[in-house]
Amino acid sequence: MTPDEMRSLALAIPGAEEGFNMGSVVFKVNGKVLARLLGADAMIVGVSFDEREMLLQAEPETFHITDHYKDYPGMLARLASLTPQALERFLWKRWRQIARKSDIKAYDARREQEKRP
């Protein structure tokens, strides 16, 4: 995946905005971090420590962590080996953690309406 592909996926999330913070590109929803673009890595936010440990062991070529983030509920993912589908799942999961309840409800209602013939 490229940084531009990550940007496109992140900005497709309802309410997502791109900014710059602490020397890197950051994507936010409601002022809360959705994900970060850190050079050749994506910072995946809102991942439990258990899930992170499992992913670090299962896919070390993609997921890794630095001492700076060891106490933070997230992990780094190498864009070169991260699939768009995997990033999209993380982004939507994080969106549900940080979006307003009314926005989630409205989004789910639209999706349900689209399923009807």
Side-chain angles (χ1 to χ4, degrees), residues 2-70:
T2 67
D4 285 339
E5 289 172 315
M6 178 183 175
R7 178 175 283 107
S8 292
L9 288 172
L11 293 175
I13 301 295
E17 298 177 338
E18 181 176 346
F20 195 76
N21 184 283
M22 298 172 62
S24 66
V25 173
V26 62
F27 302 98
K28 292 184 175 185
V29 172
N30 295 326
K32 297 176 184 171
V33 176
L34 177 67
R36 285 187 175 277
L37 179 57
L38 301 169
D41 287 333
M43 177 66 191
I44 308 296
V45 183
V47 178
S48 73
F49 293 106
D50 288 340
E51 182 181 11
R52 179 176 81 184
E53 189 59 34
M54 189 254 331
L55 288 166
L56 292 172
Q57 289 180 21
E59 298 182 57
E61 68 285 347
T62 300
F63 301 107
H64 64 107
I65 196 77
T66 63
D67 285 343
H68 181 74
Y69 295 111
K70 69 180 172 77

Side-chain angles (χ1 to χ4, degrees), residues 48-113:
S48 73
F49 293 106
D50 288 340
E51 182 181 11
R52 179 176 81 184
E53 189 59 34
M54 189 254 331
L55 288 166
L56 292 172
Q57 289 180 21
E59 298 182 57
E61 68 285 347
T62 300
F63 301 107
H64 64 107
I65 196 77
T66 63
D67 285 343
H68 181 74
Y69 295 111
K70 69 180 172 77
D71 296 325
Y72 187 74
M75 65 189 163
L76 298 167
R78 293 176 185 88
L79 288 178
S81 57
L82 182 63
T83 66
Q85 296 83 6
L87 177 60
E88 194 171 37
R89 283 192 303 273
F90 286 118
L91 292 173
W92 281 103
K93 178 180 174 184
R94 178 64 176 158
W95 179 76
R96 288 188 174 278
Q97 294 171 348
I98 62 176
R100 291 182 192 97
K101 291 187 186 323
S102 59
D103 291 341
I104 295 170
K105 188 175 181 177
Y107 175 80
D108 289 344
R110 279 193 307 275
R111 295 270 314 213
E112 190 61 35
Q113 191 74 323

